[in-house]
């Protein structure tokens, strides 16, 4: 119950690992990247964490974009303009992980 999983990478990396796929839209218009069903059962692609203890997740890359849904008021993204490090600060643990125990972040 207290385990969650996260992964981050460029769009190309995430697609190669079958972590994301295009969904939604009509006739190819309005499609968005979303968590792929193909990854299930392969938790090796993710880093495991304990949601009771983890309040900050360090992400290497620029311009982070959350692929998985997490309520916007439950977290804050803090970019260090001098480096390629970004931290995702979880402000409300219960709310943040309520939709999914998986976090996928696309970076440049």
């Amino acid at each position: 119950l207290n385990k969650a999983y996260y992964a981050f990478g460029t769009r190309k990396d995430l697609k190669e690992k079958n972590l994301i796929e295009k969904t939604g839209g009509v006739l190819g218009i309005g499609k968005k990247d979303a968590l792929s069903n193909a990854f299930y059962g392969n938790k090796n692609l993710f880093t495991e964490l304990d949601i009771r203890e983890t309040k900050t997740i360090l992400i290497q890359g620029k311009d982070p974009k959350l692929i998985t849904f997490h309520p916007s008021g439950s977290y804050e993204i803090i970019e260090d303009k001098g480096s390629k490090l970004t931290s995702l600060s979880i402000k409300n643990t219960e709310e943040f992980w309520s939709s999914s125990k998986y976090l996928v972040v696309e970076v440049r």
Side-chain angles (χ1 to χ4, degrees):
L1 281 174
N2 296 310
K3 289 182 183 179
Y5 307 88
Y6 74 94
F8 62 87
T10 64
R11 185 172 191 280
K12 180 181 176 183
D13 292 338
L14 296 173
K15 283 187 69 125
E16 285 176 357
K17 294 176 182 174
N18 289 320
L19 288 177
I20 61 173
E21 63 187 4
K22 290 280 190 188
T23 61
V26 177
L27 299 173
I29 299 171
K31 286 189 169 194
K32 295 178 15 176
D33 285 326
L35 186 61
S36 170
N37 289 329
F39 86 91
Y40 285 104
N42 191 357
K43 291 182 181 174
N44 295 333
L45 300 172
F46 292 87
T47 301
E48 184 179 300
L49 59 87
D50 185 325
I51 63 174
R52 297 170 297 183
E53 298 174 5
T54 305
K55 303 295 181 207
T56 302
I57 299 171
L58 292 177
I59 301 167
Q60 187 172 357
K62 291 185 176 185
D63 302 324
K65 174 179 137 185
L66 271 61
I67 301 297
T68 48
F69 175 77
H70 300 275
S72 60
S74 66
Y75 68 93
E76 179 180 15
I77 294 177
I78 303 164
E79 290 187 75
D80 181 356
K81 300 295 181 188
S83 72
K84 290 187 176 185
L85 277 180
T86 299
S87 53
L88 186 140
S89 175
I90 300 170
K91 299 192 304 187
N92 183 328
T93 302
E94 187 175 313
E95 185 181 3
F96 183 82
W97 296 110
S98 65
S99 297
S100 176
K101 295 288 186 175
Y102 289 89
L103 167 66
V104 177
V105 181
E106 179 184 323
V107 296
R108 278 192 318 126

